[in-house]
């Protein structure tokens, strides 16, 4: 079921994150407090079209909207502009985090698993811009893909 797939994915994230936080605590806490920026569930859509409706998940096909939605539209995955805006706000609040944890669900829902080039491009763009915006000594990208297999 979809719910059990989601639950398994969340559980796998927890198993990946908890040991990482204990490790980071050991490495950094001797000096000062540890400042961690957490990025999760972005669902970054590199093909997001701000003129498209949510009927086609804001993909560049189908019905056009009468309103421009540069930073996202309800029912669609996140455009790159929203991701950049979020990082800029993080930088404003805490300009120099010690660690950035990006813990998954970075890719849009609209990409089949076999399209690895889209996964790679999305992760590359997200990690590159994150590092440029929030220069840190450690950026950890944890990618978990949950697959539901049906007979």
């Amino acid at each position: 079921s979809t719910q059990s797939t989601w639950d398994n994915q969340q559980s796998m994230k927890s198993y990946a994150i908890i040991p990482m936080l204990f490790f980071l605590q050991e490495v950094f806490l001797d000096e000062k407090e540890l400042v961690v920026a957490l990025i999760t569930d972005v669902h970054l859509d590199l093909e997001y079209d701000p003129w498209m409706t949510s009927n086609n998940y804001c993909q560049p096909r189908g019905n056009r909207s009468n309103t421009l939605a540069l930073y996202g539209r309800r029912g669609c995955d996140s455009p790159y502009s929203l991701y950049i805006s979020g990082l800029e706000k993080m930088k404003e609040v805490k300009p120099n985090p010690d660690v950035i944890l990006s813990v998954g669900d970075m890719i849009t829902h609209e990409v089949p698993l076999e399209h690895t080039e889209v996964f790679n491009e999305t992760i590359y763009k997200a990690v590159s811009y994150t590092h440029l915006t929030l220069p840190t000594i450690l950026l950890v990208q944890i990618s978990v893909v949950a697959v539901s297999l049906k007979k």
Side-chain angles (χ1 to χ4, degrees):
S1 79
T2 304
Q3 182 62 38
S4 66
T5 299
W6 189 86
D7 290 342
N8 289 339
Q9 186 176 11
Q10 300 311 308
S11 177
M12 289 188 293
K13 280 187 191 179
S14 297
Y15 288 127
I17 294 168
I18 292 170
M20 178 62 67
L21 290 176
F22 283 119
F23 167 75
L24 295 172
Q25 182 180 17
E26 291 296 317
V27 170
F28 289 100
L29 282 185
D30 288 341
E31 293 181 31
K32 58 180 179 150
E33 70 177 359
L34 177 65
V35 177
V36 177
L38 178 65
I39 301 171
T40 185
D41 296 294
V42 175
H43 297 287
L44 189 59
D45 184 356
L46 299 181
E47 293 186 6
Y48 175 88
D49 186 327
W51 285 106
M52 293 294 135
T53 67
S54 61
N55 292 342
N56 58 1
Y57 306 104
C58 300
Q59 295 286 307
R61 61 187 186 279
N63 302 328
R64 287 182 58 86
S65 173
N66 294 329
T67 58
L68 180 66
L70 291 176
Y71 294 100
R73 188 179 306 278
R74 186 178 182 154
C76 299
D77 285 333
S78 303
Y80 197 56
S81 58
L82 180 63
Y83 184 71
I84 291 169
S85 176
L87 289 176
E88 294 294 335
K89 186 62 177 178
M90 287 173 70
K91 182 178 181 178
E92 184 182 309
V93 173
K94 283 288 186 187
N96 297 306
D98 297 307
V99 178
I100 300 170
L101 291 178
S102 180
V103 295
D105 280 350
M106 184 64 74
I107 311 300
T108 180
H109 291 100
E110 292 303 301
V111 177
L113 290 174
E114 58 272 6
H115 290 183
T116 57
E117 70 281 354
V118 176
F119 282 76
N120 292 339
E121 180 184 8
T122 303
I123 297 298
Y124 176 79
K125 284 188 173 186
V127 168
S128 297
Y129 196 82
T130 301
H131 186 68
L132 287 173
T133 306
L134 295 163
T136 184
I137 57 171
L138 183 60
L139 170 60
V140 180
Q141 170 68 43
I142 302 170
S143 295
V144 177
V145 177
V147 180
S148 175
L149 300 176
K150 297 180 182 177
K151 289 186 176 185

